[in-house]
Amino acid sequence: MTFKIESSDHNIQSLFPSPVYSSKVYNFIRIQDEITSCIDQVEFDMREDWGQTAFLSDITFTENIIGKYNLNCLRCEIDQHLRKYCSFLEFNVDEYDCNISSSWLALFKKGNYGQLHSHGDADISGCYYYKTNGEDGDIFFESSNLNLEASKCYSKLSGRFIHKPIKGHILLFPGWMKHGIMTNMTDNTRISLAFNMHFLKK
């Protein structure tokens, strides 16, 4: 897939893009109620070897909190946005079984952050912003093409893209894309629900 800029005398193609999808959810109140109903039952823990990173509902990233607590409205919402995202990618989701292989809640108090990481072999990863004031820790994505930084004329195409969290919004992005969360410098507690998806041929 390429992005094209065309005019009468030239043609520029942006090769190998890494699309990130962002949208508000359609069933905000129902999704909030679903998560609110289960969040008091969740025991949050922090991985000591990672420093002051987020408090997590699952430090092993092997559980599926969406399935465990029957967050069915959120699951349906993810499916709807996934179809829009995959349509842009020209990927036919109907030819595959889409499995949410893992999902977890992440809680960021003042001083917490998310270290730079990727989600391994997940085909598509994402998150839903359950609680945020928009100033309590931006998510950032880093360029997957490290060679751009070595060139004077391409260096501005590399680096970091910053996205502010918005309550009730969902993000979808490639699982291999490196990203992190900037330090929460506010007194607000930021809570998001992250998930990984894999596609299996029917």
Side-chain angles (χ1 to χ4, degrees):
M1 178 184 292
T2 63
F3 293 153
K4 295 183 180 180
I5 301 175
E6 297 182 351
S7 72
S8 59
D9 61 349
H10 69 272
N11 177 12
I12 298 176
Q13 294 180 309
S14 181
L15 302 178
F16 313 119
S18 303
V20 174
Y21 175 96
S22 173
S23 176
K24 64 180 180 181
V25 296
Y26 309 116
N27 295 296
F28 171 71
I29 293 176
R30 288 182 61 193
I31 292 171
Q32 291 292 108
D33 287 346
E34 274 189 343
I35 297 174
T36 300
S37 68
C38 79
I39 204 164
D40 289 338
Q41 305 172 54
V42 174
E43 293 185 12
F44 287 93
D45 199 3
M46 182 183 287
R47 290 191 53 153
E48 295 180 0
D49 55 324
W50 285 0
Q52 291 299 307
T53 54
F55 294 87
L56 305 168
S57 63
D58 173 26
I59 61 173
T60 65
F61 306 106
T62 57
E63 293 185 352
N64 181 359
I65 198 167
I66 293 175
K68 181 177 180 179
Y69 290 101
N70 297 314
L71 305 181
N72 297 322
C73 188
L74 176 60
R75 181 65 174 93
C76 290
E77 188 84 29
I78 291 170
D79 287 344
Q80 293 179 67
H81 292 282
L82 179 66
R83 285 185 172 277
K84 287 188 175 183
Y85 184 41
C86 288
S87 176
F88 173 81
L89 298 174
E90 299 180 2
F91 176 75
N92 186 359
V93 294
D94 292 325
E95 295 180 358
Y96 296 80
D97 288 322
C98 177
N99 175 42
I100 294 182
S101 51
S102 58
S103 60
W104 62 94
L105 285 163
L107 186 152
F108 297 80
K109 297 180 180 180
K110 188 173 185 177
N112 294 153
Y113 64 93
Q115 62 185 1
L116 185 66
H117 66 285
S118 70
H119 289 196
D121 65 351
D123 290 309
I124 293 177
S125 295
C127 69
Y128 171 73
Y129 294 109
Y130 167 73
K131 184 175 184 288
T132 177
N133 63 8
E135 304 295 331
D136 44 18
D138 296 343
I139 187 172
F140 63 88
F141 297 92
E142 294 210 340
S143 171
S144 58
N145 187 349
L146 300 179
N147 296 312
L148 293 171
E149 298 177 2
S151 171
K152 293 181 178 66
C153 52
Y154 296 106
S155 60
K156 289 186 178 179
L157 299 177
S158 67
R160 180 173 289 186
F161 173 81
I162 295 174
H163 180 87
K164 282 192 172 297
I166 302 174
K167 184 177 179 179
H169 276 225
I170 191 170
L171 278 183
L172 298 173
F173 51 90
W176 48 258
M177 197 171 188
K178 288 191 177 296
H179 58 285
I181 311 298
M182 300 179 76
T183 303
N184 182 0
M185 303 298 290
T186 74
D187 292 322
N188 187 64
T189 297
R190 175 190 188 279
I191 303 176
S192 57
L193 192 155
F195 50 89
N196 289 325
M197 292 179 282
H198 288 81
F199 293 97
L200 301 174
K201 193 73 174 179
K202 289 182 178 179

